[in-house]
Every structure is written in structure tokens, then in C-alpha cells.
Amino acid sequence: VAGLQKTRDNIIAGVDSIFSGFSAIDEEFYEEIEEILIMGDLGIQTTMSIVEDLKKKVKEQGIKDPSECKQLLMDSIREQMDLGENAYEFENRKSVLLIIGVNGVGKTTSVGKLAGQMKDDGKKVIVAAADTFRAAAIEQLTEWARRAGVDIIAQQEGSDPAAVVFDAVAAAKSRQADVLICDTAGRLHNKKNLMEELKKINRIIDKEYPDAYRETLVVLDGTTGQNALVQAKQFMEVADITGIILTKLDGTAKGGIAVAIQSELGIPVKYIGVGEKIDDLQKFNANEFVNALFH
Ligand code: GDP
């Protein structure tokens, strides 16, 4: 997993120094591990569960040497994150993806990257500019669609997002698109409005495109650490979230937030953003992630 150097340096440097610096497994040793995991932004709750589990493993297996704990710690983290195999069902069926997220998290960029990658996989992709609040957002998505070589459905700034989705669904059906990716809003300061807007969009898709497979993905900025977790919880109150796109992991040592999201929220991180270019979006795999952080 490329792009995780900062998180890796943060966690591994600490962890390795503990495993070599302690001669016995004692309370202080566990406290050091806790501190490193919290610094890596795994969050208090997740960290506590991991360390409890580690203690249990150490006891059960009668381990005395701290150097033998590294593998156990990795296992504990993996088990905390375990949500089974990550599914990308939308790659195999006619699909509509609603992408939501607050300004600046990398929502439009992620829509562009995803569109480009699916296009490269031979799929017919349409993007919809259903975040109509800012003209700049529509322009930016138009630029991404051009770069990705996919069709875009847009109206002018201030138009009804549901009307854009209506047009986009009609286009997806008539052009036989494999996937329709809708860049939708994420203004959390008015949750009731956001909820209504998403409901209206969903009703249109239910009615006009009932056989399409659907997902709602939230885009979160990985550099905001625990705030990303708070934001995810807020979005869970307004919509049925099926997955997370965690961005900007290249620019942060807080990548451990991916562990907290899967462990505390039970929602899969489907993609991670590791840069600004079209290729800098990767499918997320918890096992590979843990390996990348510790090796
Ligand atoms: P939006 O307001 O949520 O649509 O956010 P944008 O897509 O406009 O992205 C905001 C900024 O974050 C832009 O400068 C993007 O290039 C940048 N960005 C998005 N994703 C990533 C990422 O994974 N890594 C890095 N380094 N920058 C990113």
C-alpha cells in the first residue's frame, strides 16, 4: 500500500522501539502501546479494545517476551477491523453511487478518480453534478469528467439536486451506463435539509431506476483524525451509509483512523485517497493496511 509512509513511520517507529526497549511485559509496556495507538489516531475506544485483546492473547499463550507481541498486536488490530471481505458489488451490476461529504474533504476529486478508474476498467460511467450549491463544484466536476473521459450531467448552480439526478438516471438508462456516480451535497449544519434532499434523490432513483444496485459512500478527510469519525457518525444519522472513502492519507500520520472507523462504526472503508492524481485512489484492504503499517 503506497502513500501511507507518514502513518507507517509514526506507528512503526513507536511500536518497534517498545518491542525492543522493554525486557518484560508489564503495565508500563501496555501503556506505551496504548499511547502509540492513540497517537496514530486509532481512538481511545478502539485502542482499549485492542490492548485488552492483546493482554488476553498474551495470557492465553503464556508469552513472556515483548518481542513476541508484535505479531499478536497486528492480529488484534486486524480482528478489531474485521468486517469480512470488502464487497465491490457495483463493479458487476448496473449501479448508482451517491457520494456525500462536507466541503473540502476531497469529494469531487474522489468522484473523478473513481469515474476514471472504472472507465479504465472498460465500464460506461456517467457522473452527475448533484452538489448544485456552489458553481465551483460543478466546474470542478466538469473538469474531472473531461480528464476521466466520462459523460457528465449537470445543470446550473442552485438548481434542484433531485432534478439533476432525475436527468442523470434518464441518461444512465438510455446510454446503458454501467455506473452512475452522483456528486451530492453534505451540508451537515442543516441535517434536516440534507436528510430531505437525500430522501428526495433516493425516491427518484427508487421510482425511475428500481433495478439499479445502490450505495451511499461518505467521503472523509483522513487528516482530520478523530473528527472524521465524528463526521461519519453524523452522516449515519441522515442516511444509510454503505461505505467510506478516506482521503488524504498520503498527507497524514493519522491513518489509524481507518481502524477506528471500521471498528467503532462497523462501516467498511472501501477506498483510500493517497494523492491528488487520478490513480491515487486505492481499494482498501484491512489486512494489507495492517501489514503496511507494521512492516
Ligand atoms: P470537495 O470540496 O470535498 O469536493 O473537495 P475537493 O475534491 O475539491 O478536494 C479538496 C482538495 O483536497 C483538493 O485540493 C484536492 O486535490 C485535495 N485532495 C483530495 N483527495 C486527496 C488525497 O487523497 N490526497 C491529497 N494529498 N489531496 C487530496
Side-chain angles (χ1 to χ4, degrees), residues 143-256:
E143 174 55 25
W144 267 108
R146 191 193 58 73
R147 220 178 289 167
V150 304
D151 296 351
I152 178 166
I153 304 298
Q155 296 180 7
Q156 73 272 36
E157 180 188 358
S159 56
D160 181 356
V164 177
V165 171
F166 184 90
D167 283 358
V169 163
K173 287 194 296 188
S174 69
R175 299 177 203 176
Q176 307 207 330
D178 296 299
V179 61
L180 168 62
I181 308 176
C182 303
D183 187 3
T184 48
R187 276 167 286 283
L188 272 175
H189 58 263
N190 193 334
K191 271 195 216 157
K192 194 160 164 287
N193 275 4
L194 179 60
M195 197 187 289
E196 288 309 318
E197 185 175 317
L198 293 173
K199 267 193 194 149
K200 195 170 165 191
I201 288 173
N202 276 314
R203 270 199 303 272
I204 284 173
I205 306 170
D206 287 342
K207 183 156 176 280
E208 302 297 326
Y209 205 7
D211 47 350
Y213 174 78
R214 311 258 284 274
E215 293 227 16
T216 303
L217 304 179
V218 171
V219 183
L220 301 171
D221 180 341
T223 65
T224 62
Q226 293 298 306
N227 284 334
L229 197 69
V230 173
Q231 228 171 58
K233 286 181 185 160
Q234 291 178 320
F235 278 115
M236 286 168 80
E237 291 167 15
V238 298
D240 293 325
I241 307 304
T242 59
I244 307 280
I245 299 177
L246 191 60
T247 63
K248 308 187 196 180
L249 285 190
D250 51 310
T252 182
K254 296 176 183 286

Side-chain angles (χ1 to χ4, degrees), residues 100-113 131 134 136-137 140 144 147 183-184 219-223 245-252 272-277 280-281:
I100 60 182
V102 305
N103 268 346
V105 292
K107 179 164 60 82
T108 307
T109 304
S110 298
V111 170
K113 289 172 177 174
D131 185 355
R134 292 179 310 140
Q140 202 190 341
W144 267 108
R147 220 178 289 167
D183 187 3
T184 48
V219 183
L220 301 171
D221 180 341
T223 65
I245 299 177
L246 191 60
T247 63
K248 308 187 196 180
L249 285 190
D250 51 310
T252 182
I272 54 174
V274 292
E276 298 188 273
K277 295 200 206 61
D280 295 330
L281 186 77

